[in-house]
Amino acid sequence: MFTLNKCLVRACHNLSISAIDENGNITEEKCYCLDHSPTPGKIQQDIIRYIQNNEKIVGLTASGMTFKDLDLSGKKLYGCNFMHCTFTNCHSKDLRSRMSIFDDAVFTDCNLIESNIQFSSFAGCTFSRVLFTSSDMVQDNFNGINSIQTSFDDSDLYNSRFIKARLINTSFRNCNLKKAIFVEVSQENTSFKMSNTREAIFTERGSELNLDLGDENETSVRGDIL
């Protein structure tokens, strides 16, 4: 996992950005957060270069950074921290992530198609025109996300959580939703066609599957599932 070094500014409670040494390796050296760094441009360039030059990335902290036009295809992220980051026009295929945190990040015009992302957190993220198509996203946290014109089609979302998510023009067609949780979601023009919605959880009436939702709740709770 990423280090929990605090920013060198004593009054700051943010985690420091990962320091990259002259050989292009992540160090455990204590550093500043992006807001207090005396050379924020250099730090961001160092981290972007590190991501571009390495296929396997372990324990990187890049909280608060902005990434644009970045290709993450084939990258393997293990225990990385991308909280509060902004991703614009970033594309990837076959991205692999384990135990990484993207909480409160903003993704715009991005795709992560055919990716394998497990035990990772996207809580509070905003997704605008994002493609997760044909991905394995098992036991991930999407609680409180804002999803606009985004597709999870043909993906495995086993045991992932979308509690209190806001879903607008979002598609979950032909997905595995077994044990996925959609409690207290707000949805507009959301499609679950051809997905196993009866094995997902849409209410707070316990954790039972195969919920018997009556006609009255068919549209408001389950959306377009037929």
Side-chain angles (χ1 to χ4, degrees), residues 49-225:
R49 190 178 300 112
Y50 179 83
I51 293 173
Q52 291 173 331
N53 291 340
N54 292 273
E55 178 182 337
K56 185 177 181 180
I57 300 166
V58 181
L60 177 70
T61 295
S63 181
M65 282 187 54
T66 296
F67 299 96
K68 185 176 182 180
D69 302 325
L70 184 66
D71 185 1
L72 296 170
S73 297
K75 300 295 182 182
K76 297 176 174 61
L77 309 177
Y78 297 95
C80 294
N81 177 4
F82 291 97
M83 293 177 64
H84 305 286
C85 285
T86 298
F87 297 87
T88 303
N89 198 39
C90 294
H91 301 287
S92 70
K93 183 178 181 180
D94 194 29
L95 172 71
R96 178 179 293 267
S97 174
R98 296 290 186 275
M99 298 180 69
S100 293
I101 300 177
F102 298 84
D103 292 1
D104 298 309
V106 176
F107 294 79
T108 305
D109 295 319
C110 297
N111 73 61
L112 296 90
I113 60 175
E114 299 181 18
S115 293
N116 189 308
I117 303 174
Q118 299 185 27
F119 311 109
S120 296
S121 179
F122 295 87
C125 282
T126 295
F127 300 116
S128 181
R129 299 181 299 277
V130 177
L131 298 177
F132 290 101
T133 309
S134 301
S135 293
D136 292 326
M137 308 190 72
V138 174
Q139 300 193 68
D140 291 331
N141 179 6
F142 293 95
N143 290 344
I145 64 169
N146 286 292
S147 175
I148 304 168
Q149 293 182 342
T150 290
S151 172
F152 293 87
D153 291 353
D154 303 309
S155 294
D156 186 354
L157 299 171
Y158 173 80
N159 204 27
S160 288
R161 300 172 300 285
F162 293 82
I163 299 170
K164 295 187 177 181
R166 180 170 173 258
L167 309 174
I168 300 175
N169 295 324
T170 296
S171 180
F172 295 89
R173 293 171 181 257
N174 195 36
C175 289
N176 176 28
L177 302 179
K178 186 173 183 178
K179 292 188 178 181
I181 304 176
F182 292 87
V183 172
E184 296 186 39
V185 297
S186 170
Q187 58 179 301
E188 178 181 333
N189 195 29
T190 302
S191 176
F192 292 92
K193 284 185 177 180
M194 298 181 289
S195 295
N196 53 338
T197 53
R198 288 190 173 275
E199 295 189 89
I201 299 171
F202 288 89
T203 76
E204 295 182 340
R205 293 180 296 169
S207 60
E208 73 272 14
L209 302 182
N210 300 313
L211 295 177
D212 182 17
L213 300 176
D215 294 337
E216 180 180 352
N217 295 327
E218 186 77 14
T219 300
S220 61
V221 178
R222 295 175 62 183
D224 179 12
I225 63 174

